[in-house]
Amino acid sequence: MRTKPNRLSAAVLMLSASLCLHAQAQQTDEPPQAEAKDPTKEFVKKINDATGLEFWGYGRGGFFSAGKGRLKGGYSLGGDLQKYRLGNEGDNYLEFGIGKRFDMGEGIKWGVFYMPTIYNGKSGTAQAYFSLTGIFGNAATLWAGQRYHRVQDVHIVDKWVVEDGDNYGAGIDDIPLWGYGRLNVALHTADSVDNKNGNPNNAKRINVQWRDIPTNPGGKLTVTGGLISGDFAKGRDGGALGLMHIQKDLLPGLNNTFIVQASSGHASLSGKFYNLDNSTTTTGLLLPPGFGLENTLLFAPLVERTVITPQAGAKQRRILDSVDFQFGRFGGQGLIGYQTTRPDNGPETKDFSLGGRVSYGIAKYTKLLAELSTTRRSTDDQPRQTLNKGTIAVAFSPNTDFWTRPEFRIYATRASWNKAAGDANATSFGANGRRNATTFGIQMEAWWE
């Protein structure tokens, strides 16, 4: 059945078309600012230098429209590498980091850092920690508090594939290794500022990251490892190991990232905790036996009850290759990835992902965007799920490079899936037997550091 856009959708498309025509009218023969410095980064640096503070963060938000009963975003089969995000987010998010370093003399500095978050109106805390640098006479930094290490992401699927943190912990970063990279070591618990239910597993984690090992001209290797221990009702202690090779200028203007990872038990592939037990605490009346209802309500004490729901661990494997490029006006990022997850008490799931996003500058501050992807999910003894998604957009930013932000976009997205995917997601995008959806929106995305 063909979907008919409503009046608002048609207005969005007409506005996009008029803006494209206007941008084409502005087109000149001058090349885009492909080699220009990031204007947002330069602006933030000026603010940091002027105030003595450090600012960094990320934000996105906007207007999202879809047909009646259809999602405004989030079309995905559920795999880590399967939510292609352009025109598929349908949400609002902000994280804003602020920090200050104090110079104590003789090369010693201590710092305090805080990063709150807001997601669809719900606030939280991502980071809150202290640091101390210069004690060892080099770049090594001691830290304690709640901190994450985000090592590598694949932007087009909004996934940090190599990271740790988001919990209370302590460690030392940037230990120099005599020209053979640098070392991070950290200890974490599963508690955090936002973890109101405590740590029912008494889980602990050690993370090691040997980063930026020189391998070849333009190439660097990073090795990551993690060990998890705790009191688990299901599953067992676990571990994670990952190898990542980044090659700059594999071709002029093209970079490549190759990653292989494996994990077991309650360790995740990225290096964090995986599927810890859920703990729910409620407060209510304890009704002692032998009393009538009318007397019980008068004298029953108020107590807290905690219910722990055991969760299983899993054996997981992932391999992916990602490229990003900028050739004059033409830029983009592509991904191919495969991941398997075998829970300790369930069937194995296999996820495949192939897709990419490209940008092309049509005027000094205007670019066209297109994203296309296909994803598959196979679970033992179940039919294979498939989901395809495409997005076109016109965007405005300080220059036309693929990575330049802020970026203001007007987009249209089309997603389609097979019956197996619809049945598996019958409570969301597959409700009422739907097999496709069209969404429209206006979004702005920015990051700064």
Side-chain angles (χ1 to χ4, degrees):
M1 180 177 180
R2 182 171 296 175
T3 303
K4 296 182 178 179
N6 55 28
R7 294 179 181 177
L8 181 59
S9 302
V12 171
L13 287 178
M14 291 178 64
L15 177 60
S16 300
S18 64
L19 289 169
C20 288
L21 291 173
H22 179 66
Q24 288 175 338
Q26 294 179 334
Q27 177 94 26
T28 69
D29 293 331
E30 295 296 322
Q33 303 173 33
E35 300 301 326
K37 294 181 179 180
D38 188 326
T40 302
K41 183 177 292 187
E42 289 186 320
F43 176 71
V44 173
K45 185 178 185 302
K46 290 179 181 178
I47 295 178
N48 291 350
D49 293 342
T51 62
L53 300 173
E54 297 179 25
F55 297 97
W56 75 100
Y58 170 86
R60 66 173 180 263
F63 167 82
F64 313 102
S65 177
K68 183 178 180 180
R70 289 170 170 80
L71 303 182
K72 298 176 182 179
Y75 290 91
S76 168
L77 299 177
D80 288 342
L81 305 177
Q82 294 188 329
K83 182 184 176 182
Y84 285 82
R85 65 193 294 184
L86 181 64
N88 192 30
E89 290 176 312
D91 59 8
N92 295 272
Y93 177 72
L94 172 67
E95 58 182 34
F96 192 99
I98 182 171
K100 172 67 176 178
R101 298 179 196 267
F102 300 90
D103 193 336
M104 309 300 291
E106 298 183 357
I108 298 176
K109 294 182 179 181
W110 75 276
V112 57
F113 306 90
Y114 178 61
M115 175 181 274
T117 63
I118 301 176
Y119 180 69
N120 286 341
K122 183 178 180 180
S123 61
T125 297
Q127 301 190 85
Y129 68 95
F130 302 91
S131 72
L132 183 63
T133 305
I135 292 296
F136 305 106
N138 54 35
T141 299
L142 297 167
W143 66 269
Q146 179 174 318
R147 181 182 190 179
Y148 54 60
H149 294 82
R150 289 178 169 175
V151 180
Q152 185 64 39
D153 75 327
V154 181
H155 175 73
I156 57 175
V157 291
D158 194 17
K159 179 64 180 180
W160 287 91
V161 290
V162 183
E163 64 170 340
D164 68 21
D166 296 327
N167 308 104
Y168 291 137
I172 180 169
D173 288 355
D174 297 327
I175 304 171
L177 297 178
W178 307 281
Y180 293 96
R182 50 199 172 97
L183 188 68
N184 294 352
V185 180
L187 296 170
H188 297 274
T189 70
D191 301 305
S192 68
V193 175
D194 298 333
N195 184 8
K196 304 299 190 299
N197 294 322
N199 182 356
N201 299 119
N202 192 30
K204 299 177 179 62
R205 184 178 80 241
I206 180 171
N207 285 104
V208 178
Q209 300 168 348
W210 185 5
R211 303 179 62 174
D212 301 333
I213 308 166
T215 55
N216 61 293
K220 292 184 178 180
L221 178 69
T222 292
V223 181
T224 61
L227 291 175
I228 307 292
S229 66
D231 304 322
F232 301 112
K234 286 185 178 180
R236 60 188 184 279
D237 297 347
L241 179 66
L243 299 174
M244 175 177 70
H245 184 266
I246 296 179
Q247 182 67 51
K248 296 293 186 181
D249 290 325
L250 182 64
L251 297 174
L254 184 146
N255 306 313
N256 186 80
T257 301
F258 177 75
I259 299 174
V260 291
Q261 297 165 299
S263 67
S264 63
H266 287 280
S268 74
L269 286 167
S270 66
K272 300 167 64 173
F273 293 111
Y274 172 78
N275 218 26
L276 298 184
D277 293 350
N278 294 327
S279 175
T280 303
T281 301
T282 58
T283 302
L285 294 173
L286 177 64
L287 303 179
F291 291 88
L293 181 61
E294 65 283 356
N295 295 325
T296 301
L297 291 176
L298 291 175
F299 302 105
L302 199 64
V303 298
E304 287 189 347
R305 299 176 178 85
T306 300
V307 177
I308 297 177
T309 305
Q311 303 293 320
K315 291 182 179 179
Q316 301 181 78
R317 305 291 184 268
R318 179 161 65 204
I319 182 170
L320 68 93
D321 193 86
S322 175
V323 297
D324 65 85
F325 57 89
Q326 189 71 48
F327 306 133
R329 300 180 185 275
F330 185 51
Q333 184 177 53
L335 166 71
I336 182 169
Y338 180 74
Q339 181 172 327
T340 65
T341 303
R342 181 182 290 277
D344 295 335
N345 62 344
E348 183 177 46
T349 296
K350 302 174 182 177
D351 292 324
F352 172 77
S353 177
L354 175 64
R357 185 193 307 181
V358 294
S359 68
Y360 184 76
I362 60 173
K364 187 175 182 180
Y365 304 120
T366 308
K367 51 189 169 183
L368 299 180
L369 305 175
E371 187 174 272
L372 187 64
S373 66
T374 182
T375 55
R376 300 174 185 175
R377 165 164 282 193
S378 301
T379 303
D380 291 348
D381 301 322
Q382 296 182 23
R384 185 174 67 182
Q385 305 171 40
T386 63
L387 186 149
N388 302 315
K389 175 255 178 191
T391 299
I392 56 174
V394 58
F396 307 93
S397 61
N399 65 46
T400 60
D401 285 1
F402 179 81
W403 292 113
T404 296
R405 300 296 186 275
E407 189 174 83
F408 184 95
R409 311 159 179 150
I410 302 171
Y411 69 81
T413 294
R414 179 72 169 177
S416 62
W417 51 90
N418 67 353
K419 183 177 183 301
D423 292 343
N425 296 275
T427 60
S428 57
F429 60 79
N432 301 317
R434 295 191 185 99
R435 299 282 294 277
N436 54 66
T438 302
T439 60
F440 303 88
I442 303 172
Q443 184 191 51
M444 187 166 180
E445 181 185 51
W447 55 65
W448 57 98
E449 60 179 352

